[in-house]
């Protein structure tokens, strides 16, 4: 075989091989690894999970002292903004009795200087910073967290 043709063929083969290698390190390749978002490459949007159910009939108990209780109801479209706080329309001391809801506790009136205010403390205004709805969801990663002894029922 002509030496010149051989070199051309060889370099073509090398180019193809390095092209294939470059492919595996591209952004889209997860290299066979799967994360919490599955094996979907980063630049692709994977389909959203189903909406979680917020079962009303169960009331998950606290796992540690001073845990913000979980929300045992749906909170979809409940506005909490500068203009309105839907949560307080049921949970404020003024409305709780009529709405059959638990009143926010006294700690929600204390500011960071430990002064008790006449209305909800600004640091307790954005309820969802601390309270999350209880969902019928499996833990995404293994969790060995144990309830504190003082709250263990069995
Ligand atoms: C329409 C009235 C209403 C609104 C609005 C509302 N809740 Fe409730 N919430 C209730 C009632 C009633 C309960 C008592 C449990 C039940 O019957 O579901 C409750 C229970 C709770 C509890 C559990 C209290 C406990 O004793 O452990 C938390 C926490 C809570 N809600 C937080 C919120 C937050 C945060 C918002 C706003 C995103 C909100 N709720 C909006 C009516 C309401
Ligand atoms: C900085 C965190 C934080 C924010 C913000 C917050 N909470 Fe709480 N909440 C707690 C903690 C912690 C508890 C349990 C200890 C206690 O009662 O203070 C609690 C308790 C409660 C309870 C149960 C009270 C009881 O007597 O059992 C209700 C109802 C509640 N919060 C509603 C709300 C609502 C409504 C908002 C928004 C206006 C809100 N929380 C904002 C941390 C927070």
């Amino acid at each position: 075989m002509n030496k010149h043709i051989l070199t051309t063929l060889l370099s073509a083969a090398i180019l193809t091989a390095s092209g294939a290698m470059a492919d595996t390190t591209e952004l889209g390749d997860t290299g066979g690894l799967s994360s919490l978002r599955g094996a979907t490459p980063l630049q692709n949007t994977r389909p959203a999970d189903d909406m979680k159910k917020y079962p009303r009939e169960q009331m998950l108990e606290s796992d540690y002292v001073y845990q913000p209780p979980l929300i045992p109801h749906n909170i979809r479209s409940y506005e909490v903004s500068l203009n309105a706080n839907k949560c307080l329309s049921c949970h404020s001391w003024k409305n709780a009795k009529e709405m059959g809801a638990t009143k926010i506790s006294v700690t929600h009136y204390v500011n960071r200087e430990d002064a008790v205010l006449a209305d909800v403390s600004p640091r307790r205004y954005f309820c969802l910073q601390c309270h999350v709805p209880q969902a019928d969801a499996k833990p995404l990663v293994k969790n060995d967290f144990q309830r504190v002894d003082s709250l263990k029922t069995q």
Side-chain angles (χ1 to χ4, degrees):
M1 200 189 283
N2 183 318
K3 205 176 169 193
H4 181 68
I5 295 179
L6 189 68
T7 342
T8 321
L9 278 177
L10 249 174
S11 44
I14 290 169
L15 274 177
T16 324
S18 58
M21 265 166 73
D23 272 348
T24 61
T25 52
E26 254 178 34
L27 186 67
D29 195 320
T30 58
L33 292 176
S34 121
S35 65
L36 290 182
R37 72 197 297 275
T40 314
L42 269 183
Q43 76 271 30
N44 297 351
T45 308
R46 72 176 183 95
D49 291 331
D50 289 337
M51 298 282 278
K52 295 273 183 289
K53 297 229 168 7
Y54 298 149
R56 244 174 179 276
E57 56 279 4
Q58 74 174 8
M59 193 86 150
L60 292 183
E61 302 200 350
S62 300
D63 285 322
Y64 57 93
V65 181
Y66 216 66
Q67 175 186 321
L70 294 168
I71 307 173
H73 56 69
N74 234 311
I75 53 159
R76 221 164 167 207
S77 71
Y78 283 180
E79 184 180 346
V80 178
S81 69
L82 185 65
N83 306 317
N85 187 319
K86 179 74 179 163
C87 314
L88 288 175
S89 70
C90 290
H91 288 283
S92 71
W93 283 21
K94 200 154 112 191
N95 304 328
K97 201 165 183 191
E98 192 188 332
M99 301 309 294
T102 329
K103 301 193 285 190
I104 49 173
S105 56
V106 279
T107 57
H108 294 58
Y109 291 81
V110 179
N111 72 6
R112 64 180 174 185
E113 276 88 39
D114 274 348
V116 181
L117 310 179
D119 208 342
V120 178
S121 173
R123 65 177 185 165
R124 290 292 171 105
Y125 184 84
F126 293 101
C127 320
L128 298 171
Q129 265 179 283
C130 304
H131 297 278
V132 291
Q134 52 170 23
D136 190 6
K138 287 198 179 62
L140 290 173
V141 290
K142 193 171 172 285
N143 188 344
D144 296 326
F145 188 86
Q146 295 277 330
R147 182 171 288 186
V148 288
D149 282 342
S150 59
L151 295 179
K152 272 195 186 130
T153 40
Q154 338 65 328

